[in-house]
């Protein structure tokens, strides 16, 4: 049987499905969850839940959920504990319990559909394709193969997701993304795509990007900066996307403090640098990090700096030095190299 048929057969035995998004879900994760929910409905599952942890703070992500009216609920660990056999647990756009999600480690997973690098992925159904540009590309293939009805909402969600994860087909896009877009195009609401793709930007995000510009440090083709403390977690990827465009820069990394966590976002079209491996190796002992060779992210709990939380200026100075030092070592930047 085809991969899509295998998925359909597994879903046919279920009565309920909990589709868990990764923390702070983006359009690719949300659209993939929406599409999997439609496939599950077609297979006869009436109880379908899209669950998430963290926040939906990026302006595009908020517009995506609000304009497409996606029914999404906060994740409660009890929903996936002691499940009956006909209650299915699915991950889209991520793979492993406890990594970039709040699912307890070692929780049995039924379905994993992902395009990120990962090791030791275990589930009854696994389709993980690192070569494609978006998880939504895989779900579009399923929808097409299984002849699921694609209305304007689903088509628009999948199209926005593919465009978002590939920077409008400029990053990591493959033939599969173009084929998926061609299939979706006739049903897409173009005006909705425009509204979701061009949301208003908050003042906090502009402040964070401005701070990152001021704090940038360049060494050769490498740029490292930070936004200090910000309330907008998603300002980091926006800041790093902006700084990665600076002339001569091949690798850009931006970090900052959001509540009680240090977040890191990295971009690198340089084939000599795998930023996913860089962040994983740099922070594996104190947090988590990973991703593709050109796009990656990481998180470090602020607990390791707990003794300094009473003095925010001192805390920011220490975080800057420690994070920059770890990144510099991972990138083999000599301390006396001219900045």
């Amino acid at each position: 049987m085809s991969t899509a048929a295998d998925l359909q057969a597994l879903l046919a035995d279920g009565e309920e499905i909990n589709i868990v998004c990764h923390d702070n879900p983006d359009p690719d994760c949300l659209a993939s969850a929406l599409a999997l929910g439609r496939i599950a409905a077609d297979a006869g599952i009436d109880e379908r839940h899209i669950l998430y942890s963290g926040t939906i703070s990026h302006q595009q992500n908020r517009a995506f959920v609000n304009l497409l009216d996606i029914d999404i609920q906060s994740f409660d660990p009890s929903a996936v504990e002691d499940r009956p056999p006909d209650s299915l647990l699915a991950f889209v756009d991520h793979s492993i319990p406890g990594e970039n999600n709040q699912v307890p480690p070692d929780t049995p997973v039924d379905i994993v559909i992902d395009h990120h690098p990962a090791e030791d992925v275990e589930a009854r159904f696994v389709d993980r394709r690192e070569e494609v540009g978006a998880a939504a590309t895989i779900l579009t293939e399923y929808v097409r193969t299984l002849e699921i009805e694609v209305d304007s909402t689903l088509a628009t969600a999948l199209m926005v997701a593919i465009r978002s994860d590939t920077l409008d087909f400029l990053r990591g896009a493959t033939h599969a993304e173009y084929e998926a877009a061609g299939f979706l195009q006739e049903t897409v609401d173009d005006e909705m795509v425009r509204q979701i793709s061009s949301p208003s930007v908050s003042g906090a995000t502009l402040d964070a990007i401005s701070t990152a510009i001021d704090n940038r440090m360049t060494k050769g083709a490498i740029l490292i900066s930070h936004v200090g403390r910000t309330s907008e977690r998603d300002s980091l990827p926006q800041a790093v996307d902006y700084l990665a465009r600076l002339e001569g820069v091949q690798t850009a990394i931006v970090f900052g403090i959001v509540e009680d966590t240090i977040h890191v976002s990295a971009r690198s079209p340089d084939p000599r640098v795998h930023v996913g491996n860089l962040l994983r190796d740099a922070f594996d002992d104190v947090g988590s990090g990973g991703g593709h060779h050109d796009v990656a992210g990481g998180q470090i709990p602020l607990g390791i700096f707990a003794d300094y939380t009473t003095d925010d200026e001192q805390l920011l100075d220490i975080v800057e030095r420690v994070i920059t030092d770890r990144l510099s070592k991972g990138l083999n930047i000599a301390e006396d190299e001219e900045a």
Side-chain angles (χ1 to χ4, degrees):
M1 289 193 299
S2 69
T3 300
D6 290 340
L7 174 63
Q8 189 177 49
L10 189 157
L11 291 170
D13 293 331
E15 295 293 333
E16 175 190 43
I17 185 168
N18 289 299
I19 306 170
V20 178
C21 297
H22 57 64
D23 291 346
N24 314 302
D26 59 5
D28 191 27
C29 188
L30 294 165
S32 297
L34 180 64
L36 181 56
R38 296 289 185 88
I39 296 171
D42 185 74
I45 297 180
D46 295 327
E47 288 292 324
R48 303 178 305 276
H49 311 285
I50 299 176
L51 309 173
Y52 80 104
S53 298
T55 61
I56 299 177
S57 57
H58 192 296
Q59 296 84 7
Q60 186 185 67
N61 300 348
R62 288 199 297 264
F64 187 94
V65 171
N66 294 333
L67 291 174
L68 294 175
D69 195 24
I70 295 177
D71 184 9
I72 185 168
Q73 306 164 33
S74 296
F75 173 71
D76 182 347
S78 65
V80 299
E81 296 174 349
D82 301 320
R83 309 189 314 274
D86 60 3
S87 177
L88 305 177
L89 172 60
F91 286 174
V92 289
D93 203 34
H94 61 129
S95 300
I96 300 173
E99 294 190 11
N100 199 20
N101 59 67
Q102 302 306 308
V103 177
D106 301 321
T107 299
V109 180
D110 297 292
I111 299 166
V112 168
I113 302 170
D114 192 15
H115 72 121
H116 294 97
E119 297 179 357
D120 303 322
V121 177
E122 296 183 4
R124 295 166 62 192
F125 175 93
V126 177
D127 188 357
R128 193 175 58 80
R129 309 181 203 176
E130 295 181 29
E131 70 276 10
V132 302
T137 302
I138 304 173
L139 269 301
T140 301
E141 176 190 304
Y142 292 167
V143 166
R144 186 177 186 179
T145 301
L146 297 172
E147 298 183 348
I148 305 298
E149 181 182 356
V150 179
D151 60 14
S152 177
T153 296
L154 180 58
T156 301
L158 290 168
M159 181 69 86
V160 170
I162 292 170
R163 289 183 54 177
S164 176
D165 247 39
T166 62
L167 282 182
D168 287 331
F169 300 93
L170 295 176
R171 180 184 68 200
T174 68
H175 175 74
E177 275 70 52
Y178 288 100
E179 186 175 5
F183 167 71
L184 297 168
Q185 183 57 52
E186 67 178 57
T187 321
V188 164
D189 184 331
D190 292 327
E191 176 59 22
M192 191 74 74
V193 171
R194 187 194 65 76
Q195 291 183 51
I196 296 172
S197 301
S198 304
S200 59
V201 179
S202 70
T205 294
L206 284 180
D207 288 343
I209 294 174
S210 174
T211 302
I213 292 172
D214 291 340
N215 291 332
R216 71 188 188 278
M217 173 191 72
T218 57
K219 295 188 176 182
I222 297 168
L223 182 149
I224 300 175
S225 188
H226 69 87
V227 303
R229 185 183 288 278
T230 179
S231 60
E232 298 279 355
R233 186 196 70 86
D234 288 298
S235 66
L236 274 78
Q238 292 179 77
V240 78
D241 281 335
Y242 185 84
L243 289 172
R245 298 162 54 194
L246 186 64
E247 184 177 5
V249 170
Q250 289 292 309
T251 300
I253 305 171
V254 175
F255 58 92
I257 299 174
V258 183
E259 295 181 348
D260 59 353
T261 303
I262 303 165
H263 290 264
V264 187
S265 191
R267 303 287 185 268
S268 181
D270 189 339
R272 298 168 298 176
V273 178
H274 191 301
V275 287
N277 292 342
L278 169 68
L279 297 192
R280 185 190 64 231
D281 295 342
F283 304 119
D284 187 56
D285 61 328
V286 293
S288 62
H292 300 283
H293 76 89
D294 57 342
V295 180
Q299 300 181 26
I300 304 98
L302 203 56
I304 62 174
F305 302 100
D307 292 342
Y308 302 95
T309 54
T310 56
D311 186 335
D312 212 47
E313 184 175 345
Q314 183 184 32
L315 171 63
L316 289 170
D317 181 61
I318 293 171
V319 167
E320 179 183 6
R321 286 189 283 112
V322 171
I323 300 300
T324 301
D325 181 63
R326 283 179 176 250
L327 292 172
S328 297
K329 288 179 179 178
L331 290 164
N332 296 315
I333 299 175
E335 293 184 4
D336 59 350
E337 186 174 342
E338 183 178 356

